[in-house]
Amino acid sequence: MSDLFSGFAGSSLIALPWIAFLAGLGGSIHCVGMCGGLVSATSKTSMEICTYQVGRLLGYSFLGLFGGTLGHLFSQFFNSEITNLLPAIALGGVFILWGYKTFKGDSKQVKSNFFSKARSTIWNKIIPTTPGNSKSFGVGLFSILLPCGFLYSLIIVVTSFHDPIKALIATFFFWVGTLPALT
């Protein structure tokens, strides 16, 4: 598994955007199912859809930079073979947990009261209640706080890049891949 993550991390800057774009495009049906209603509820005009997408781009960019920086810091301070495996172990653990919960028939998300309250507080204080471009932008920006295994799996993968710029590039092209379905 380390070789797969090392392969992603070592991808050329020509291959990386294509890999990320195809991942976004291939998984965009998931995005429609999870966030399509959110887009429809908050964006009535084409301008509001555009501002929603720009907000989502900024949110994804933040997560990509965060993941890449976190991976970079881990590689600088703990430069060992195990740190290269941590993203793979985390992603594998998430998949095993989801599989186990699905097998048991428990499809509910694992919830933390702290994160649920924090998300609710941020959402209620920052997102305007009046419709318009600012609401669409805010909902797009803070949609990264919604529990999305697809997006969070991408962030775990870009953490293995150990490079914030590569992570940012990957999240940008992932976002581009999801645009056709969510627009």
mmCIF file of all heavy atoms in Angstrom, residues 1 5 82-98 152-153 155-157 159:
data_model
loop_
_atom_site.group_PDB
_atom_site.id
_atom_site.type_symbol
_atom_site.label_atom_id
_atom_site.label_comp_id
_atom_site.label_asym_id
_atom_site.label_seq_id
_atom_site.Cartn_x
_atom_site.Cartn_y
_atom_site.Cartn_z
ATOM 1 N N MET A 1 0.825 -1.193 0.000
ATOM 2 C CA MET A 1 0.000 0.000 0.000
ATOM 3 C C MET A 1 0.864 1.250 0.000
ATOM 4 O O MET A 1 0.504 2.244 -0.593
ATOM 5 C CB MET A 1 -0.930 -0.035 1.207
ATOM 6 C CG MET A 1 -1.961 1.053 1.186
ATOM 7 S SD MET A 1 -3.030 0.995 -0.243
ATOM 8 C CE MET A 1 -4.581 0.784 0.533
ATOM 9 N N PHE A 5 0.607 4.837 -2.469
ATOM 10 C CA PHE A 5 0.611 6.227 -2.014
ATOM 11 C C PHE A 5 1.879 6.937 -2.461
ATOM 12 O O PHE A 5 1.833 8.100 -2.835
ATOM 13 C CB PHE A 5 0.452 6.295 -0.492
ATOM 14 C CG PHE A 5 -0.958 6.172 -0.053
ATOM 15 C CD1 PHE A 5 -1.528 4.929 0.187
ATOM 16 C CD2 PHE A 5 -1.745 7.290 0.105
ATOM 17 C CE1 PHE A 5 -2.844 4.818 0.580
ATOM 18 C CE2 PHE A 5 -3.064 7.189 0.494
ATOM 19 C CZ PHE A 5 -3.615 5.949 0.732
ATOM 20 N N ILE A 82 6.989 4.524 8.645
ATOM 21 C CA ILE A 82 5.630 4.465 9.198
ATOM 22 C C ILE A 82 4.846 5.734 8.861
ATOM 23 O O ILE A 82 3.639 5.674 8.635
ATOM 24 C CB ILE A 82 5.638 4.187 10.717
ATOM 25 C CG1 ILE A 82 4.248 3.819 11.220
ATOM 26 C CG2 ILE A 82 6.166 5.370 11.493
ATOM 27 C CD1 ILE A 82 3.739 2.507 10.757
ATOM 28 N N THR A 83 5.498 6.893 8.803
ATOM 29 C CA THR A 83 4.759 8.114 8.471
ATOM 30 C C THR A 83 4.276 8.089 7.025
ATOM 31 O O THR A 83 3.278 8.718 6.707
ATOM 32 C CB THR A 83 5.596 9.389 8.706
ATOM 33 O OG1 THR A 83 6.779 9.316 7.925
ATOM 34 C CG2 THR A 83 5.927 9.566 10.160
ATOM 35 N N ASN A 84 4.983 7.375 6.169
ATOM 36 C CA ASN A 84 4.504 7.236 4.803
ATOM 37 C C ASN A 84 3.289 6.324 4.737
ATOM 38 O O ASN A 84 2.495 6.404 3.807
ATOM 39 C CB ASN A 84 5.614 6.695 3.898
ATOM 40 C CG ASN A 84 6.728 7.702 3.716
ATOM 41 O OD1 ASN A 84 6.511 8.901 3.830
ATOM 42 N ND2 ASN A 84 7.926 7.229 3.451
ATOM 43 N N LEU A 85 3.144 5.451 5.719
ATOM 44 C CA LEU A 85 2.014 4.530 5.750
ATOM 45 C C LEU A 85 0.792 5.102 6.469
ATOM 46 O O LEU A 85 -0.299 4.574 6.324
ATOM 47 C CB LEU A 85 2.420 3.224 6.449
ATOM 48 C CG LEU A 85 3.316 2.290 5.658
ATOM 49 C CD1 LEU A 85 3.740 1.124 6.524
ATOM 50 C CD2 LEU A 85 2.599 1.784 4.430
ATOM 51 N N LEU A 86 0.956 6.159 7.264
ATOM 52 C CA LEU A 86 -0.162 6.687 8.050
ATOM 53 C C LEU A 86 -1.393 7.042 7.220
ATOM 54 O O LEU A 86 -2.510 6.678 7.607
ATOM 55 C CB LEU A 86 0.281 7.884 8.897
ATOM 56 C CG LEU A 86 1.105 7.533 10.129
ATOM 57 C CD1 LEU A 86 1.539 8.810 10.847
ATOM 58 C CD2 LEU A 86 0.348 6.627 11.070
ATOM 59 N N PRO A 87 -1.258 7.731 6.081
ATOM 60 C CA PRO A 87 -2.474 8.000 5.292
ATOM 61 C C PRO A 87 -3.154 6.713 4.823
ATOM 62 O O PRO A 87 -4.377 6.607 4.834
ATOM 63 C CB PRO A 87 -1.973 8.827 4.103
ATOM 64 C CG PRO A 87 -0.704 9.437 4.569
ATOM 65 C CD PRO A 87 -0.111 8.443 5.517
ATOM 66 N N ALA A 88 -2.359 5.728 4.420
ATOM 67 C CA ALA A 88 -2.934 4.462 3.967
ATOM 68 C C ALA A 88 -3.635 3.749 5.118
ATOM 69 O O ALA A 88 -4.731 3.196 4.955
ATOM 70 C CB ALA A 88 -1.849 3.564 3.380
ATOM 71 N N ILE A 89 -3.035 3.782 6.290
ATOM 72 C CA ILE A 89 -3.639 3.147 7.468
ATOM 73 C C ILE A 89 -4.935 3.865 7.841
ATOM 74 O O ILE A 89 -5.952 3.222 8.128
ATOM 75 C CB ILE A 89 -2.641 3.129 8.646
ATOM 76 C CG1 ILE A 89 -1.476 2.179 8.323
ATOM 77 C CG2 ILE A 89 -3.328 2.731 9.940
ATOM 78 C CD1 ILE A 89 -0.312 2.302 9.275
ATOM 79 N N ALA A 90 -4.914 5.200 7.817
ATOM 80 C CA ALA A 90 -6.124 5.966 8.158
ATOM 81 C C ALA A 90 -7.242 5.687 7.157
ATOM 82 O O ALA A 90 -8.392 5.450 7.548
ATOM 83 C CB ALA A 90 -5.811 7.465 8.193
ATOM 84 N N LEU A 91 -6.924 5.708 5.879
ATOM 85 C CA LEU A 91 -7.931 5.449 4.850
ATOM 86 C C LEU A 91 -8.453 4.017 4.966
ATOM 87 O O LEU A 91 -9.664 3.785 4.879
ATOM 88 C CB LEU A 91 -7.348 5.699 3.461
ATOM 89 C CG LEU A 91 -8.323 5.682 2.292
ATOM 90 C CD1 LEU A 91 -9.400 6.738 2.476
ATOM 91 C CD2 LEU A 91 -7.579 5.917 0.986
ATOM 92 N N GLY A 92 -7.564 3.073 5.178
ATOM 93 C CA GLY A 92 -7.983 1.686 5.367
ATOM 94 C C GLY A 92 -8.877 1.522 6.579
ATOM 95 O O GLY A 92 -9.880 0.801 6.546
ATOM 96 N N GLY A 93 -8.538 2.208 7.676
ATOM 97 C CA GLY A 93 -9.364 2.154 8.883
ATOM 98 C C GLY A 93 -10.766 2.708 8.652
ATOM 99 O O GLY A 93 -11.753 2.133 9.121
ATOM 100 N N VAL A 94 -10.838 3.806 7.902
ATOM 101 C CA VAL A 94 -12.150 4.387 7.585
ATOM 102 C C VAL A 94 -12.975 3.408 6.759
ATOM 103 O O VAL A 94 -14.156 3.181 7.041
ATOM 104 C CB VAL A 94 -11.972 5.732 6.839
ATOM 105 C CG1 VAL A 94 -13.271 6.203 6.230
ATOM 106 C CG2 VAL A 94 -11.414 6.788 7.780
ATOM 107 N N PHE A 95 -12.357 2.797 5.758
ATOM 108 C CA PHE A 95 -13.083 1.843 4.915
ATOM 109 C C PHE A 95 -13.512 0.607 5.700
ATOM 110 O O PHE A 95 -14.614 0.093 5.508
ATOM 111 C CB PHE A 95 -12.249 1.429 3.707
ATOM 112 C CG PHE A 95 -12.117 2.510 2.658
ATOM 113 C CD1 PHE A 95 -11.005 2.558 1.839
ATOM 114 C CD2 PHE A 95 -13.093 3.470 2.488
ATOM 115 C CE1 PHE A 95 -10.878 3.540 0.876
ATOM 116 C CE2 PHE A 95 -12.986 4.458 1.529
ATOM 117 C CZ PHE A 95 -11.877 4.493 0.717
ATOM 118 N N ILE A 96 -12.666 0.124 6.580
ATOM 119 C CA ILE A 96 -13.020 -1.037 7.399
ATOM 120 C C ILE A 96 -14.182 -0.683 8.320
ATOM 121 O O ILE A 96 -15.131 -1.460 8.471
ATOM 122 C CB ILE A 96 -11.802 -1.545 8.186
ATOM 123 C CG1 ILE A 96 -10.816 -2.202 7.216
ATOM 124 C CG2 ILE A 96 -12.217 -2.519 9.287
ATOM 125 C CD1 ILE A 96 -9.464 -2.518 7.820
ATOM 126 N N LEU A 97 -14.143 0.496 8.931
ATOM 127 C CA LEU A 97 -15.237 0.926 9.810
ATOM 128 C C LEU A 97 -16.544 1.030 9.033
ATOM 129 O O LEU A 97 -17.583 0.544 9.489
ATOM 130 C CB LEU A 97 -14.903 2.265 10.472
ATOM 131 C CG LEU A 97 -15.978 2.871 11.362
ATOM 132 C CD1 LEU A 97 -16.215 1.972 12.580
ATOM 133 C CD2 LEU A 97 -15.590 4.259 11.810
ATOM 134 N N TRP A 98 -16.512 1.650 7.855
ATOM 135 C CA TRP A 98 -17.732 1.761 7.042
ATOM 136 C C TRP A 98 -18.249 0.385 6.639
ATOM 137 O O TRP A 98 -19.446 0.130 6.681
ATOM 138 C CB TRP A 98 -17.466 2.581 5.784
ATOM 139 C CG TRP A 98 -17.381 4.042 5.994
ATOM 140 C CD1 TRP A 98 -17.850 4.762 7.048
ATOM 141 C CD2 TRP A 98 -16.772 4.986 5.117
ATOM 142 N NE1 TRP A 98 -17.568 6.081 6.882
ATOM 143 C CE2 TRP A 98 -16.903 6.251 5.700
ATOM 144 C CE3 TRP A 98 -16.121 4.876 3.901
ATOM 145 C CZ2 TRP A 98 -16.425 7.399 5.111
ATOM 146 C CZ3 TRP A 98 -15.641 6.023 3.308
ATOM 147 C CH2 TRP A 98 -15.797 7.265 3.913
ATOM 148 N N TYR A 152 -13.316 13.466 2.200
ATOM 149 C CA TYR A 152 -12.347 13.215 3.261
ATOM 150 C C TYR A 152 -11.343 12.141 2.859
ATOM 151 O O TYR A 152 -10.181 12.191 3.260
ATOM 152 C CB TYR A 152 -13.047 12.851 4.556
ATOM 153 C CG TYR A 152 -13.892 13.982 5.121
ATOM 154 C CD1 TYR A 152 -14.902 13.739 6.021
ATOM 155 C CD2 TYR A 152 -13.683 15.304 4.739
ATOM 156 C CE1 TYR A 152 -15.683 14.766 6.537
ATOM 157 C CE2 TYR A 152 -14.453 16.333 5.236
ATOM 158 C CZ TYR A 152 -15.448 16.061 6.139
ATOM 159 O OH TYR A 152 -16.213 17.082 6.648
ATOM 160 N N SER A 153 -11.761 11.190 2.041
ATOM 161 C CA SER A 153 -10.816 10.189 1.531
ATOM 162 C C SER A 153 -9.780 10.853 0.632
ATOM 163 O O SER A 153 -8.589 10.524 0.690
ATOM 164 C CB SER A 153 -11.557 9.109 0.748
ATOM 165 O OG SER A 153 -12.432 8.401 1.586
ATOM 166 N N ILE A 155 -8.745 13.915 0.888
ATOM 167 C CA ILE A 155 -7.847 14.694 1.743
ATOM 168 C C ILE A 155 -6.833 13.776 2.422
ATOM 169 O O ILE A 155 -5.660 14.135 2.564
ATOM 170 C CB ILE A 155 -8.645 15.531 2.766
ATOM 171 C CG1 ILE A 155 -9.577 16.501 2.023
ATOM 172 C CG2 ILE A 155 -7.724 16.272 3.717
ATOM 173 C CD1 ILE A 155 -8.894 17.393 0.998
ATOM 174 N N ILE A 156 -7.259 12.592 2.819
ATOM 175 C CA ILE A 156 -6.308 11.635 3.395
ATOM 176 C C ILE A 156 -5.250 11.265 2.358
ATOM 177 O O ILE A 156 -4.059 11.192 2.658
ATOM 178 C CB ILE A 156 -7.038 10.386 3.931
ATOM 179 C CG1 ILE A 156 -7.859 10.760 5.168
ATOM 180 C CG2 ILE A 156 -6.045 9.278 4.268
ATOM 181 C CD1 ILE A 156 -8.785 9.663 5.659
ATOM 182 N N VAL A 157 -5.669 11.065 1.125
ATOM 183 C CA VAL A 157 -4.716 10.716 0.070
ATOM 184 C C VAL A 157 -3.747 11.872 -0.179
ATOM 185 O O VAL A 157 -2.533 11.656 -0.279
ATOM 186 C CB VAL A 157 -5.448 10.317 -1.235
ATOM 187 C CG1 VAL A 157 -4.477 10.209 -2.398
ATOM 188 C CG2 VAL A 157 -6.189 9.006 -1.041
ATOM 189 N N THR A 159 -2.770 14.077 1.794
ATOM 190 C CA THR A 159 -1.863 14.209 2.932
ATOM 191 C C THR A 159 -0.591 13.413 2.673
ATOM 192 O O THR A 159 0.501 13.820 3.075
ATOM 193 C CB THR A 159 -2.554 13.736 4.222
ATOM 194 O OG1 THR A 159 -3.712 14.537 4.432
ATOM 195 C CG2 THR A 159 -1.648 13.883 5.433
#
